[in-house]
């Protein structure tokens, strides 16, 4: 969209929820509008307030503004990273886009794997920003804007996530504040001139969004769910009960081995921009596909777990802390013995829980938190890489410090990395592949800032996760929803890679493709495949990550990293560092699953 004088142009991806409010303010300041579009509001806000405009926007966005007279470019991304924005600077020029493939298609760019990003991917299952899997291309961090002028680029924060828990905050007061914030956020997210629906799992988060949406919506709502009929983790009874409770127009799709899984997974390589080893992308793909037949916009419950302490990994942090009172040799021996437990096909079986907990208890607290959700260890990476010396050291991730509490610092870390670079990445790419816009009301920045002020006792109390949210919804949602265990949105990847996805696995990870990659070693990859298929280990999530990575490399013709220089000495982990490196030894080759 062009300014009236033609000197400034805005390219905008996203949605601004306080559009009407800003328009009224700008009209009072003398601006005349020619449309009802929020794109025009963003443009006029920038013309009036320049980069200060970004802190006034409530919504999700990636945008670029170019001023022809000054030859000045400004890029900006929303506070939580709901929408993506990639850029690369080289030779005094800047390249950018809301999809990484926008830059990959430029003929001057060499598509070469980034070593640090690969190391993180193999350990964490995703690439934490600002790195990407392609050397020289970065993600603009959430809550940041970038100014480029005369070949020089400068990145600045316009919003920063800051934890300042208020220990004097009472449960009743906090519930009252959260109730008002969620009611306002959901009401704003419901504004749309196209058909709208709600993603419903029958869990606390999505049911909370549905509750507030049902209060505000003038007509019957549409809900959409994925079932896994015949599986222990199937959520059908719960989301059907919630649908009956709110009398929604309900739609569901059963994700089973009989659907076209292979086609969907192969499409990931084109739509994901970067590979993500989160197997939850598969049900999100089919949910988005079904949803788009009925609506153009959907509300989701994304973000509540990271805000209010909803993952079992936070309990694991606590239990491991207690286990560390036992002598280290005893814990190491128990962890070694746990590898002899029978291998389960469950998403998160008893063998996984015991093995992972014991192994994590031998690590430092910070190391263990990332370990719960990891895959390949340092030794594991050495066994599958043809040049393991290239990943001897890993760039540090910031582990938040300060007097915020034991639990809060890990919730904070997940909001900085896991939320934008895994959860939101997955949802955005899978939904936009089907031209579906997904809005997460929990990630209204006012709700996020409120959650950062909550004391830990209002997030987890005893073994009750998301305590304040459960208390808020206690007399509103069905009792079955409030009392059920968290299942997570995932697939039985261990089982399916041994069955229906076995041909895709073997076709993709074969001797020829592994050797031609120039990155991986066939003997190591072959051992991992056989160990899993022969049920000697549960390596489903390890192999899923490699499968998705190889499909992506093939689709975009990604070259291996350049040979590494002489490896520098790897610094030892120091609990007092302001930013703690994720040392590869944090991760092991025992079975792994998404924390949800």
């Amino acid at each position: 969209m062009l300014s009236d004088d033609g000197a400034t142009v805005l390219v905008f991806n996203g949605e601004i929820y306080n559009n009407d409010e800003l328009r009224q303010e700008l009209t009072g300041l003398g601006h005349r509008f020619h449309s009802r579009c929020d794109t025009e509001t963003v443009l006029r806000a920038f013309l009036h307030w320049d980069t200060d405009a970004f802190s006034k926007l409530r919504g999700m966005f990636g945008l670029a503004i170019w001023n022809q007279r000054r030859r000045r470019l400004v890029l900006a991304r929303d506070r939580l990273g709901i929408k993506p924005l990639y850029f690369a600077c080289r030779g005094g020029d800047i390249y950018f886009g809301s999809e990484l493939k926008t830059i990959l298609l430029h003929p001057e760019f060499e598509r070469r794997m980034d070593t640090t990003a690969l190391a993180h991917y193999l350990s964490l299952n995703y690439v934490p920003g600002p790195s990407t899997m392609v050397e020289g291309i970065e993600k603009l961090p959430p809550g940041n804007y970038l100014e480029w002028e005369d070949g020089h680029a400068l990145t600045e924060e316009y919003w920063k996530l800051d934890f300042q828990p208020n220990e004097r905050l009472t449960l009743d007061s906090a519930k009252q504040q959260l109730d008002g914030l969620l009611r306002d956020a959901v009401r704003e997210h419901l504004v749309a001139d196209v058909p709208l629906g709600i993603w419903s799992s029958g869990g606390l988060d999505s049911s909370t969004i549905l509750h507030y949406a049902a209060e505000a919506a003038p007509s019957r709502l549409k809900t959409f769910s994925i079932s896994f009929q015949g599986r222990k983790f199937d959520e059908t009874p719960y989301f059907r009960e919630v649908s009956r409770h709110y009398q929604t127009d309900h739609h569901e799709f059963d994700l089973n081995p009989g659907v076209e899984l292979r086609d969907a997974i192969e499409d990931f390589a084109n739509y994901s921009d970067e590979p993500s080893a989160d197997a939850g992308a598969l049900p999100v793909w089919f949910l988005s596909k079904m949803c788009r037949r009925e609506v153009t916009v959907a509300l989701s419950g994304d973000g509540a777990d990271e805000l209010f302490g909803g993952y079992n990994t936070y309990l694991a942090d606590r239990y491991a802390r207690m286990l560390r009172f036992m002598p280290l040799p005893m814990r190491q021996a128990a962890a070694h013995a746990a590898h002899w437990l029978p291998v389960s096909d469950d998403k998160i079986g008893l063998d996984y829980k015991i093995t992972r907990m014991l192994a994590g208890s031998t690590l430092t607290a910070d190391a263990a938190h990332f370990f719960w959700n990891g895959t390949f260890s340092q030794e594991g990476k050495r066994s599958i890489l043809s040049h393991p010396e290239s990943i001897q050291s890993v760039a540090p991730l910031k582990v938040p410090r300060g007097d915020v509490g034991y639990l809060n610092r890990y919730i904070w870390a997940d909001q900085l990395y896991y939320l934008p670079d895994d959860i939101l990445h997955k949802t955005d790419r899978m939904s936009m592949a089907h031209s579906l816009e997904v809005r997460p009301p929990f990630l209204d920045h006012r709700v996020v800032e409120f959650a950062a002020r909550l004391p830990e006792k209002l997030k987890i109390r005893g073994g009750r996760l998301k305590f304040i949210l459960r208390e808020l919804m206690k007399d509103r949602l069905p009792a079955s929803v409030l009392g059920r265990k968290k299942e997570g949105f995932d697939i039985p990847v261990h089982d399916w890679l041994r069955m229906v996805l076995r041909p895709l696995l073997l076709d993709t990870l074969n001797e020829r493709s592994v050797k031609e990659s120039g990155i991986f070693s066939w003997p190591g990859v072959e051992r991992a495949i056989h160990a899993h298929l022969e049920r000697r280990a549960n390596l489903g999530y390890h192999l899923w990550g490699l499968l998705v990575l190889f499909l992506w490399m093939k689709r975009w013709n990604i070259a291996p990293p350049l040979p590494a220089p002489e490896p520098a000495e790897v610094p030892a982990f120091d609990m007092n560092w302001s930013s703690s490196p994720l040392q590869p030894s944090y991760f092991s080759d025992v079975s792994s699953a998404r924390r949800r």
Side-chain angles (χ1 to χ4, degrees):
M1 182 171 283
L2 286 169
S3 61
D4 292 339
D5 63 3
T8 304
V9 60
L10 164 69
V11 182
F12 176 72
N13 171 37
E15 191 74 29
I16 303 303
Y17 304 124
N18 61 332
N19 178 43
D20 290 343
E21 177 185 322
L22 286 173
R23 291 171 71 90
Q24 291 178 10
E25 184 176 359
L26 287 164
T27 299
L29 292 170
H31 289 265
R32 295 180 59 189
F33 287 82
H34 307 298
S35 72
R36 298 297 304 169
C37 181
D38 60 353
T39 306
E40 185 179 7
T41 304
V42 174
L43 177 57
R44 294 190 178 279
F46 180 80
L47 292 173
H48 192 88
W49 292 301
D50 202 79
T51 55
D52 289 340
F54 304 140
S55 62
K56 295 178 176 289
L57 304 179
R58 291 203 301 271
M60 55 183 188
F61 57 85
L63 61 85
I65 300 170
W66 169 254
N67 181 271
Q68 180 64 26
R69 293 180 185 137
R70 291 182 55 184
R71 298 193 60 77
R72 175 197 184 209
L73 176 74
V74 178
L75 308 178
R77 191 177 180 197
D78 65 71
R79 294 170 178 84
L80 277 301
I82 303 169
K83 285 297 179 182
L85 188 51
Y86 296 93
F87 73 95
C89 295
R90 55 182 296 174
D93 293 330
I94 185 167
Y95 307 78
F96 62 92
S98 57
E99 294 178 282
L100 187 139
K101 65 179 71 71
T102 303
I103 304 175
L104 288 182
L105 290 174
H106 196 287
E108 290 185 8
F109 271 89
E110 186 177 13
R111 305 175 185 185
R112 188 171 296 280
M113 182 82 72
D114 183 273
T115 302
T116 298
L118 175 62
H120 279 315
Y121 177 84
L122 293 174
S123 295
L124 300 174
N125 300 318
Y126 62 92
V127 179
S131 297
T132 72
M133 196 66 91
V134 181
E135 190 176 281
I137 302 178
E138 298 181 52
K139 304 164 191 163
L140 183 65
N144 276 244
Y145 67 87
L146 180 150
E147 288 189 83
W148 181 93
E149 199 167 1
D150 294 329
H152 300 286
L154 178 66
T155 302
E156 296 283 351
E157 288 182 333
Y158 68 87
W159 181 83
K160 182 178 182 180
L161 178 61
D162 192 16
F163 272 57
Q164 294 182 344
N166 179 5
E167 297 298 332
R168 294 176 295 179
L169 192 62
T170 65
L171 176 59
D172 288 341
S173 174
K175 284 169 53 179
Q176 184 177 3
Q177 292 181 53
L178 181 57
D179 180 56
L181 288 169
L182 288 177
R183 182 170 286 108
D184 289 346
V186 172
R187 186 184 67 251
E188 289 184 354
H189 282 65
L190 284 171
V191 176
D193 54 5
V194 293
L196 180 145
I198 311 289
W199 282 1
S200 174
S201 67
L204 176 61
D205 306 342
S206 63
S207 299
T208 297
I209 298 301
L210 176 56
H211 171 82
Y212 285 102
E215 284 187 344
S219 58
R220 188 184 184 195
L221 289 167
K222 293 179 180 288
T223 51
F224 302 87
S225 306
I226 292 289
S227 63
F228 292 88
Q229 298 290 341
R231 291 283 181 172
K232 290 191 296 184
F233 54 87
D234 180 44
E235 299 177 301
T236 300
Y238 303 105
F239 59 64
R240 286 182 179 174
E241 182 178 4
V242 171
S243 174
R244 288 192 298 268
H245 185 80
Y246 290 101
Q247 299 181 329
T248 69
D249 177 11
H250 185 62
H251 305 260
E252 59 188 68
F253 177 84
D254 185 54
L255 184 51
N256 62 72
V259 303
E260 296 179 350
L261 299 176
R262 180 168 185 150
D263 289 346
I265 296 168
E266 289 178 333
D267 280 340
F268 287 1
N270 187 61
Y271 290 105
S272 291
D273 289 318
E274 292 187 89
S276 169
D278 188 339
L282 194 58
V284 174
W285 174 276
F286 284 101
L287 178 60
S288 300
K289 184 177 182 180
M290 169 185 60
C291 195
R292 186 60 182 86
R293 298 190 187 108
E294 299 287 333
V295 300
T296 308
V297 175
L299 270 58
S300 79
D302 284 344
D305 290 314
E306 290 83 2
L307 298 185
F308 302 111
Y311 291 129
N312 287 321
T313 50
Y314 302 131
L315 295 179
D317 290 328
R318 178 190 297 174
Y319 301 150
R321 194 178 189 183
M322 293 185 288
L323 278 174
R324 291 189 186 97
F325 286 105
M326 296 172 57
L328 177 60
M330 186 181 298
R331 283 178 275 141
Q332 291 172 329
H336 179 75
H339 287 280
W340 296 98
L341 290 170
V343 173
S344 167
D345 281 333
D346 291 343
K347 287 196 305 179
I348 305 179
L350 182 62
D351 59 316
Y352 164 77
K353 294 177 182 177
I354 294 176
T355 305
R356 207 71 174 171
M357 173 55 63
L358 289 170
S361 72
T362 66
L363 307 174
T364 65
D366 285 3
H369 180 73
F370 292 102
F371 169 80
W372 306 133
N373 208 35
T375 47
F376 286 102
S377 68
Q378 179 73 335
E379 288 302 317
K381 286 186 284 190
R382 285 176 180 162
S383 72
I384 63 169
L385 290 168
S386 56
H387 300 287
E389 67 277 2
S390 64
I391 59 163
Q392 287 299 307
S393 61
V394 180
L397 294 184
K398 294 180 180 177
V399 178
R401 302 292 176 178
D403 188 19
V404 298
Y406 189 79
L407 167 66
N408 269 332
R409 62 195 300 259
Y410 298 124
I411 289 179
W412 195 353
D414 286 344
Q415 289 181 38
L416 290 173
Y417 294 103
Y418 181 67
L419 178 62
D421 297 319
D422 186 312
I423 298 300
L424 297 177
H425 170 99
K426 170 185 65 180
T427 298
D428 181 78
R429 304 317 190 274
M430 298 301 98
S431 61
M432 292 306 295
H434 297 92
S435 300
L436 178 72
E437 179 183 300
V438 178
R439 304 175 179 178
F442 278 114
L443 296 182
D444 181 300
H445 75 275
R446 297 167 298 181
V447 179
V448 175
E449 290 169 349
F450 164 79
R453 295 193 300 269
L454 285 175
E456 293 182 350
K457 63 185 178 183
L458 296 184
K459 295 180 179 178
I460 297 180
R461 182 169 296 187
R464 295 182 67 192
L465 301 171
K466 290 180 290 196
F467 176 72
I468 185 174
L469 196 57
R470 294 184 191 279
E471 288 296 304
L472 175 64
M473 305 306 295
K474 186 164 57 177
D475 299 322
R476 303 174 179 181
L477 297 178
S480 61
V481 173
L482 292 166
R484 60 172 292 204
K485 296 190 303 181
K486 185 174 183 63
E487 289 292 348
F489 208 39
D490 210 340
I491 63 171
V493 68
H494 302 308
D495 186 25
W496 282 6
L497 283 176
R498 294 184 180 116
M499 295 171 47
V500 64
L501 296 180
R502 178 174 178 148
L504 176 61
L505 175 68
L506 297 179
D507 289 347
T508 305
L509 299 180
N510 56 58
E511 183 174 4
R512 178 178 177 181
S513 66
V514 171
K515 289 182 176 178
E516 287 182 348
S517 73
I519 302 172
F520 293 92
S521 165
W522 170 242
V525 173
E526 184 182 33
R527 282 194 298 270
I529 293 172
H530 286 311
H532 183 75
L533 296 182
E534 295 166 7
R535 301 184 61 83
R536 289 185 281 111
N538 261 345
L539 300 177
Y541 288 93
H542 301 67
L543 296 175
W544 174 270
L546 290 178
L547 169 66
V548 172
L549 177 64
F550 269 72
L551 289 172
W552 177 79
M553 288 192 298
K554 179 181 178 181
R555 169 65 182 84
W556 296 106
N557 193 27
I558 303 299
L562 292 171
E566 287 296 320
E569 182 179 353
V570 180
F573 183 82
D574 185 346
M575 286 293 289
N576 294 317
W577 288 5
S578 59
S579 57
S580 305
L582 288 181
Q583 299 295 344
S585 59
Y586 288 11
F587 309 98
S588 82
D589 287 322
V590 297
S591 62
S592 176
R594 304 310 302 169
R595 68 185 63 184
R596 299 210 297 177

